[in-house]
Amino acid sequence: MLEWLDSSEGSGVKVSQVYDSVTTGLQAFYRTKLLPIERDHLFHQFYSPELTDADFASAPMVLLMGQYSTGKTTFIRHLLQRDYPGMRIGPEPTTDRFVCVLHGDSDSVTPGNALVVDHELPFTQLSHFGNAFLSRLEASRLSSPVLEGLTLIDTPGVLSGEKQRIKRGYEFEAVVKWFADRVDMILLFFDVSKLDISDEFRRVIQATKGNDHKICILLNKADNVTTQQLMRVYGALMWSLGKVLDTPEVARVYVGTFWDQPLKNEKLRELFEQEENDLYTKIAQLPRSASLRKVNDLIKRARLAKVHAMLLDYFYKRMPTFFGHAKEQERMIQDLPNIYQEIAVQKGIPLGDFPDPRMMQQILTPMDFSTFKPVDGEKLQALEALLAVDLPKLLQLIPEEQMRHGIGDAAIAQVV
Amino acid sequence: MLEWLDSSEGSGVKVSQVYDSVTTGLQAFYRTKLLPIERDHLFHQFYSPELTDADFASAPMVLLMGQYSTGKTTFIRHLLQRDYPGMRIGPEPTTDRFVCVLHGDSDSVTPGNALVVDHELPFTQLSHFGNAFLSRLEASRLSSPVLEGLTLIDTPGVLSGEKQRIKRGYEFEAVVKWFADRVDMILLFFDVSKLDISDEFRRVIQATKGNDHKICILLNKADNVTTQQLMRVYGALMWSLGKVLDTPEVARVYVGTFWDQPLKNEKLRELFEQEENDLYTKIAQLPRSASLRKVNDLIKRARLAKVHAMLLDYFYKRMPTFFGHAKEQERMIQDLPNIYQEIAVQKGIPLGDFPDPRMMQQILTPMDFSTFKPVDGEKLQALEALLAVDLPKLLQLIPEEQMRHGIGDAAIAQVV
Ligand SMILES: Nc1ncnc2c1ncn2[C@@H]1O[C@H](COP(=O)(O)OP(=O)(O)OP(=O)(O)O)[C@@H](O)[C@H]1O
Ligand SMILES: Nc1ncnc2c1ncn2[C@@H]1O[C@H](COP(=O)(O)OP(=O)(O)OP(=O)(O)O)[C@@H](O)[C@H]1O
Ligand SMILES: [Mg+2]
Ligand SMILES: [Mg+2]
């Protein structure tokens, strides 16, 4: 099981070295060149909170989701070849919280309230979800070579029918969305005996929207049925998934049985082994592709911050000196799509970089535009240098061989 | 291959006997109790042409469709265990016409123009599609035990990209729709190397709308790829089919290789054999379920004819004696949905029995309502007796054991 991990130590450059220097680079660039302009223009109020060093340093994360008893926790045990502290496995709904399974020198469990104040970890923002959620969050630490390059997020199974009505006391889908936006891979678990996609599960899947490319699907316990039944079940799964995910690209489904027990049905052993192997290879590549994704994410964020600064600068400069604030403000909010056009042409910014106008109109309405700041020329220059010089240089640190996995091309296409 | 046919001779009552008496019954009932009222109220102008004896007597039909070279014609040869007259098989687009493969004492080919004037066969309506189509239609007759209970319709493969632009000279989709409405089973062919659903093929599939329950899908040449590739291909097929067919019920896909050659890949022999067996069993049941479907179709038609007669009667009776015809007519066309409501309540007819109001509005607009006829009380009584007594009695002729296949329950639910 663990051999696959070694494959992450690639040819030539050590993955971890690259990883470290990219992390340090990103942290410094963010603090000096992006954060100042974000702060000037209330970026964190509009989009997402300030990033911490931990957000850049964190190991790639894998989120495991699915209906209850589909084998999520068992999969983690199989991957780690041991139990994690606080782990429970059983035929009834067992995992009742979000568990961040992390590397640690010794075994320990940290409750949610303590976890979100640890600035070494990228979970501080979770405090916004409130106490009801924090009592359903914990970190489980253990020593495992797998976890040196990877953090796993175990989650409570999605319930259906009767049970789903008994509310959880916190916004499950919002939490899922928070994780989905931040993790590097989302594993959706299905098992051959529990295929129907309940309404709650559908909403949960939809909460991952915008992160479809991270989704891998596991059809678990596949040896529990005959080949013909498996074909039916698998076909039905793809049939309905195609509708729920609603992307033309077909999601990759790994068919197999992801645990330590011997196969109940030997007929498809070869297939199951290949599928398991493919999945582990993909997971093993995560640490490599994570640096790339982080650079990519920062590029996206920097481009948005630039547009946002232009926009607030535009509003500020058009506010009348004495009277008619409210009216002019109102007019500009209405006229937002045209203002986008105007700025896009003037500054040569692609329209696709602009934020969703409806979302903006909502946030802008209660604000007072005369409190906005004009763009600081120096800060803008720093931001532009970041986009034109610094981040592309950082990308070059990542050896070509690693670029081939995943998002490399997309990231480059955006920089050029 | 042919053993499966014998299984259609069921326990107790001979299928063919039942079939014959149901056919004769339907023909007589239609002519004496439904046709008169249809004629009185222009039913054939509004919905569909007069039925001929052949429409009731025809053997159940199977329509084969798919992209070119997916193995439709090969499947027919495999099923019949011999070539049909005029048959061509090859790796390039070969079948260039619609071929009705029928039972005959000796081999012969009948061209389209001759075929559609043969009142013994249910193809007379096809003459409406014009000469360009008729030159692409033929009947192929041969002696085969399979064809005694079944007619197969081979079709030209759907082309994609460049080729599909070179027009066929007739409305392919309209022809497909005509067949889809009348056949008992639609076999959609895919092969593992030709999965993409081209725009034309998508339109063709959509032309079968309303007949989704007749669709069976074949994923052919499945032994040409490895098991893992097959899973990918099959998954991708279900993913996109789910979107094209857009029904919650998952279409049944038969995975295998439907020809006489030995398997190229033995690993899934058992699966392929089961799938083939399932498919042949289903085809073998067609002659049984065909009588049931025919009764069911006539019930549907009779209910529609009743509503239609009420509706035209309503229009007729509300036309002013001297002036204002055009205006009153116009008003009633606009008001159609409310008129449906009114008649539904007055006559105790379920709203679901009424025809699509937009379609009706279109057909009604150029008509002169004062030419309509009032309902003839005797004819209406005959129609009501048909629905309440005659057809349910006919249903009882069909032994219970046969009712279990397919549409039986639906038919009964509608009568009760
Ligand atoms: N590959 C497998 N084949 C057969 N049974 C399995 C497999 N994986 C797990 N199981 C069994 O399924 C049950 C549920 O497993 P587990 O608790 O890991 O699921 P879970 O998805 O974590 O559920 P929950 O959402 O309730 O936490 C257990 O009884 C476990 O032994
Ligand atoms: N099960 C099968 N496995 C592998 N090859 C097959 C199989 N069935 C048919 N073929 C081959 O595929 C090619 C196309 O077959 P065929 O002519 O029957 O297809 P078709 O769907 O009727 O095509 P068209 O739409 O052009 O009429 C032929 O070369 C045939 O030998
Ligand atoms: Mg669990
Ligand atoms: Mg052919």
Side-chain angles (χ1 to χ4, degrees), chain B residues 51 58 75 92 213 215 217 234 272 308 331 340 396 405:
Chain B
L51 296 176
S58 68
F75 178 85
E92 273 303 296
H213 57 285
I215 295 181
I217 291 154
Y234 170 62
F272 296 159
H308 182 72
R331 189 196 61 75
Y340 279 9
Q396 281 168 11
H405 303 292

Side-chain angles (χ1 to χ4, degrees), chain A residues 217 226-243 245-255 267-268 270-271 274-275 278, chain B residues 217 226-243 245-255 267-268 270-271 274-275 278:
Chain A
I217 291 154
T226 67
T227 307
Q228 208 186 12
Q229 285 166 334
L230 180 60
M231 290 305 270
R232 292 290 85 70
V233 164
Y234 170 61
L237 176 65
M238 296 305 278
W239 182 274
S240 42
L241 268 180
K243 296 176 192 212
L245 288 175
D246 204 25
T247 56
E249 306 80 42
V250 182
R252 174 69 153 100
V253 176
Y254 298 86
V255 179
K267 292 240 170 67
L268 292 177
E270 201 182 319
L271 171 70
Q274 283 164 347
E275 296 277 283
D278 284 2
Chain B
I217 291 154
T226 66
T227 307
Q228 208 187 10
Q229 284 165 336
L230 180 60
M231 291 304 271
R232 293 289 85 71
V233 164
Y234 170 62
L237 176 65
M238 297 305 279
W239 182 273
S240 42
L241 268 179
K243 296 177 190 210
L245 288 175
D246 205 25
T247 55
E249 306 80 40
V250 183
R252 174 68 153 100
V253 176
Y254 298 87
V255 179
K267 294 237 170 68
L268 293 176
E270 200 183 317
L271 172 69
Q274 283 165 345
E275 295 279 282
D278 284 2

Side-chain angles (χ1 to χ4, degrees), chain B residues 112-113 116 124-137 168-171 175:
Chain B
N113 274 293
V116 297
T124 49
Q125 293 170 17
L126 283 170
S127 65
H128 297 303
F129 290 107
N131 260 324
F133 170 66
L134 295 182
S135 66
R136 293 282 169 222
L137 171 70
R168 299 183 192 263
Y170 61 91
E171 284 183 84
V175 172

Side-chain angles (χ1 to χ4, degrees), chain B residues 200-219:
Chain B
E200 191 180 14
F201 195 25
R202 184 183 306 266
R203 280 198 301 276
V204 167
I205 297 176
Q206 272 153 0
T208 66
K209 216 167 192 115
N211 296 296
D212 317 84
H213 57 285
K214 301 178 185 170
I215 295 181
C216 292
I217 291 154
L218 271 73
L219 181 53

Side-chain angles (χ1 to χ4, degrees), chain B residues 330-346:
Chain B
E330 170 70 23
R331 189 196 61 75
M332 288 196 284
I333 292 178
Q334 289 302 325
D335 205 30
L336 199 57
N338 291 324
I339 294 180
Y340 279 9
Q341 288 273 6
E342 196 182 327
I343 300 178
V345 172
Q346 242 176 50

Side-chain angles (χ1 to χ4, degrees), chain B residues 15-139:
Chain B
V15 175
S16 57
Q17 270 172 22
V18 171
Y19 189 79
D20 286 350
S21 50
V22 170
T23 302
T24 328
L26 287 172
Q27 288 168 337
F29 287 143
Y30 178 70
R31 259 198 316 272
T32 57
K33 303 198 165 177
L34 185 50
L35 187 56
I37 209 165
E38 282 187 7
R39 283 195 177 142
D40 272 5
H41 304 287
L42 313 170
F43 187 93
H44 311 124
Q45 236 166 299
F46 278 82
Y47 311 97
S48 67
E50 245 183 76
L51 296 176
T52 62
D53 280 356
D55 287 321
F56 295 107
S58 68
M61 296 194 278
V62 178
L63 177 67
L64 293 89
M65 290 201 316
Q67 318 247 97
Y68 74 93
S69 288
T70 45
K72 299 178 289 300
T73 307
T74 304
F75 178 85
I76 294 181
R77 176 164 65 177
H78 180 51
L79 204 64
L80 305 182
Q81 290 287 296
R82 55 159 290 189
D83 292 5
Y84 66 73
M87 187 191 79
R88 283 167 58 218
I89 285 175
E92 273 303 296
T94 41
T95 311
D96 62 353
R97 56 198 63 200
F98 284 75
V99 186
C100 308
V101 185
L102 303 163
H103 184 69
D105 293 328
S106 63
D107 288 14
S108 73
V109 169
T110 314
N113 274 293
L115 179 62
V116 297
V117 295
D118 183 344
H119 285 272
E120 301 279 293
L121 291 174
F123 304 115
T124 49
Q125 293 170 17
L126 283 170
S127 65
H128 297 303
F129 290 107
N131 260 324
F133 170 66
L134 295 182
S135 66
R136 293 282 169 222
L137 171 70
E138 69 188 27

